[in-house]
Amino acid sequence: MSISPDGAAPRLRFEERERATLSPYAAFAGESRGRAVHEPEHDYRTAFQRDRDRILHSKAFRRLKQKTQVFLAPEGAHYRTRLTHTLEVAQIARTAARALYLNEDLVEAIALGHDLGHTPFGHAGELVLNEAYPGGFNHSEQSLRIVEVLERRRNGTGLNLTWEVRDGIRNHSCAKCILAGEPPGAAMSFEAAVVSLSDAIAYINHDIDDALRGGVITEQDLPSDCLEVLGRTGSDRIDTMVRALVDGSSNGRIDMTPEIREATQRLRLHLYTYLYPCETISREIRKAQKILRELYDYLIANPTPETPPPRPEDPEGRNVVDFVAGMTDDFALQLYERLFFPAPWRP
Ligand code: MG
């Protein structure tokens, strides 16, 4: 049954509306390159809306709430976690995509899925697995592996997302090229490039906010020439950066206006040089790395009942990498305690 005036399925009307109203550079749901395994289309959701919903309902998405952004297992409720980071990226990306007449549903799906593959304890965990596992480890590839293989593992198709969403997840780290004024490494949709820049806009600003809140830095520690151009508050800076993204993207590429792009890049590099390696943060990261390295080594030699069984097509140890990478901060700490701390005797 349909309440649309001509009796057509609502999805067909939405696809038509996309063709009529979006930019010619947009990715149109009705022209998707499709899924690895063919599925009939839905009556009232486009392919990209469906993908967004599948990601939102996945287990990996729910685990993001207990994964570190920058501050490890923060006790204050106001610090970002990987989940709130993801939601901020989705908001920024949708705002920019709508202003650019790009596909908001595709942008939202990519944004919600982009960090699913993050390890516990943020990049600290990524470094440990990359060093320990002979095949190497990268969170973007792991995000893709989660949606293609690990979620809904039993039916063997993962979430079976469209090519466009998987491509956006795979290439979500290209902002560092765009901000450096270089072409992004891979050909990708405009929507994927918007998410990538929105990811940088989100983390630059919320990591500053969290660092100020935690007393790790004061405003004087930030480069004043950048703040003059970008704004003194997080909200002003996000607005400046998103405007620069909308105004700077035309004629077949996603970019920011040059002055704001350069100031954003300087601010970003400042965080990488002074904030992330600072002793307050790196002291805790070293502890987290030690825990994850010991967990990995132990689980390679001694699978626990929770370790997922190896898949015959995977190289040896991949199931342990997937297990460790999928852990939340809390789960990793609890497992470490269970495996390595003596249990109190309770008669
Ligand atoms: Mg991110």
Side-chain angles (χ1 to χ4, degrees):
M1 193 193 85
S2 168
I3 55 166
S4 77
D6 58 2
R11 173 186 51 85
L12 294 172
R13 305 293 298 257
F14 298 151
E15 290 175 358
E16 238 171 67
R17 195 170 63 192
E18 285 186 0
R19 282 188 204 99
T21 58
L22 296 185
S23 151
Y25 295 116
F28 299 101
E31 289 160 28
S32 164
R33 292 201 209 175
R35 308 175 186 283
V37 179
H38 176 75
E39 292 179 36
E41 295 295 334
H42 195 272
D43 290 344
Y44 55 85
R45 287 182 299 161
T46 68
F48 300 150
Q49 289 173 334
R50 254 175 135 180
D51 285 1
R52 171 203 59 201
D53 299 347
R54 287 179 187 188
I55 292 168
L56 191 83
H57 287 272
S58 67
K59 292 199 296 289
F61 185 78
R62 296 198 291 281
R63 292 198 299 268
L64 295 176
K65 71 172 187 259
Q66 283 182 357
K67 289 197 179 208
T68 284
Q69 174 58 29
V70 166
F71 294 91
L72 302 191
E75 284 189 1
H78 292 160
Y79 292 97
R80 270 69 175 192
T81 63
R82 195 59 65 178
L83 179 65
T84 61
H85 159 71
T86 294
L87 297 175
E88 289 182 33
V89 174
Q91 179 273 314
I92 291 169
R94 284 182 55 192
T95 301
R98 185 181 288 206
L100 289 165
Y101 299 96
L102 295 175
N103 197 313
E104 235 180 295
D105 296 324
L106 173 57
V107 150
E108 190 178 15
I110 297 170
L112 294 182
H114 83 284
D115 271 352
L116 291 177
H118 256 298
T119 59
F121 309 121
H123 289 284
E126 185 167 14
L127 290 172
V128 166
L129 289 180
N130 189 40
E131 207 178 271
Y133 179 59
F137 182 88
N138 164 289
H139 82 270
S140 301
E141 284 164 20
Q142 189 68 10
S143 295
L144 202 61
R145 181 168 166 83
I146 285 176
V147 300
E148 289 182 344
V149 176
L150 300 177
E151 283 284 328
R152 298 195 195 165
R153 183 181 154 119
R154 257 167 299 172
N155 70 10
T157 59
L159 298 181
N160 197 28
L161 304 180
T162 57
W163 181 89
E164 290 77 4
V165 173
R166 286 181 287 129
D167 180 61
I169 290 174
R170 182 192 299 115
N171 291 311
H172 82 259
S173 298
C174 74
K176 46 181 174 292
C177 299
I178 301 176
L179 288 175
E182 296 160 9
M188 68 184 90
S189 65
F190 275 40
E191 283 81 358
V194 164
V195 173
S196 178
L197 278 173
S198 303
D199 186 20
I201 294 173
Y203 75 69
I204 290 168
N205 289 293
H206 65 49
D207 288 351
I208 290 175
D209 187 48
D210 281 353
L212 290 168
R213 173 171 291 107
V216 178
I217 56 167
T218 65
E219 202 187 300
Q220 283 67 48
D221 296 319
L222 297 169
S224 58
D225 57 331
C226 293
L227 301 196
E228 241 151 67
V229 177
L230 299 170
R232 298 248 152 229
T233 67
S235 153
D236 285 346
R237 285 191 295 271
I238 291 174
D239 189 51
T240 307
M241 292 175 187
V242 173
R243 278 175 193 280
L245 165 54
V246 173
D247 295 343
S249 297
S250 57
N251 302 327
R253 70 195 187 116
I254 295 295
D255 200 349
M256 291 166 97
T257 52
E259 190 194 11
I260 303 303
R261 177 185 359 95
E262 283 153 25
T264 302
Q265 172 71 340
R266 281 206 307 281
L267 185 56
R268 176 178 169 275
L269 294 177
H270 183 87
L271 300 185
Y272 276 92
T273 312
Y274 298 104
L275 174 64
Y276 302 135
C278 80
E279 184 53 24
T280 318
I281 294 176
S282 49
R283 186 177 55 226
E284 299 308 306
I285 284 188
R286 283 196 294 273
K287 294 183 203 165
Q289 285 180 320
K290 178 175 179 292
I291 284 178
L292 285 184
R293 180 68 209 221
E294 286 177 30
L295 279 179
Y296 173 84
D297 289 342
Y298 180 89
L299 291 167
I300 286 282
N302 313 278
T304 59
E306 302 101 318
T307 311
R311 299 162 73 247
E313 58 270 58
D314 287 339
E316 206 185 333
R318 182 75 227 188
N319 60 326
V320 173
V321 172
D322 292 334
F323 183 37
V324 174
M327 291 176 187
T328 62
D329 295 10
D330 298 25
F331 184 91
L333 291 170
Q334 283 159 17
L335 183 63
Y336 188 84
E337 194 178 319
R338 202 178 83 209
L339 295 177
F340 298 118
F341 284 24
W345 170 247
R346 289 195 187 92

